[in-house]
Amino acid sequence: MAFAAVHPQPDAGFTANITVDGEYRPDAATLAELADESVERLREVAESVVVAHRREVGSPDMPALTQRVTFSAVADDTRRDLVQSQVYLSMPDIEEPHKRAVIRLALTATAAQHDTVLADFQDFVRTVHPQTEVGV
């Protein structure tokens, strides 16, 4: 599912957007390994994919990882240089803490748009957190 970022200006026809997805992970894959998988999938559909920045954040109980990826892709018959800021959040199941869900949030924008919409994306990411009570 994709959501348009807060009132970004289209850059030659491209509108910055946020994609959110998640999955239950029964394995012990690290967030870095999951981020590497995402980069490999991006390389299948885009060119010049480069991880420009990666950092582990969060806490031992709820680890997170952020990375910025630059790449070139065709959108609407036009080649564009894009920037994707990705956030991976690992959230334990409150009923069965050995289980976890991994949520991935990604802001995709042109280089010209990215810095303008990044703060809105960061504000949105701060609103994503696990439910703290069973049955709520």
Side-chain angles (χ1 to χ4, degrees):
M1 110 179 57
F3 301 95
V6 179
H7 305 293
Q9 293 297 316
D11 183 4
F14 185 86
T15 301
N17 61 83
I18 295 172
T19 304
V20 178
D21 63 25
E23 63 182 319
Y24 165 72
R25 293 298 299 211
D27 60 16
T30 66
L31 293 179
E33 290 168 337
L34 298 177
D36 288 341
E37 289 174 11
S38 177
V39 169
E40 289 309 311
R41 284 191 305 273
L42 193 54
R43 285 190 172 121
E44 293 173 5
V45 297
E47 297 176 359
S48 305
V49 178
V50 175
V51 177
H53 177 77
R54 180 181 282 182
R55 182 173 66 150
E56 292 185 17
V57 295
S59 66
D61 292 337
M62 289 204 346
L65 181 140
T66 64
Q67 72 178 5
R68 182 171 298 166
V69 181
T70 61
F71 59 97
S72 178
V74 175
D76 298 326
D77 297 323
T78 303
R79 178 157 307 284
R80 301 178 192 283
D81 292 328
L82 300 173
V83 179
Q84 194 171 78
S85 287
Q86 301 174 346
V87 178
Y88 294 82
L89 306 172
S90 180
M91 298 183 185
D93 183 308
I94 60 172
E95 293 178 348
E96 298 181 56
H98 64 280
K99 294 182 179 179
R100 68 180 174 140
V102 175
I103 310 299
R104 184 179 71 94
L105 305 100
L107 166 67
T108 305
T110 64
Q113 296 167 327
H114 187 266
D115 290 346
T116 303
V117 296
L118 182 59
D120 288 336
F121 176 65
Q122 291 168 332
D123 288 344
F124 173 70
V125 169
R126 285 194 233 357
T127 69
V128 179
H129 50 81
Q131 180 178 318
T132 57
E133 297 178 24
V134 177
V136 175

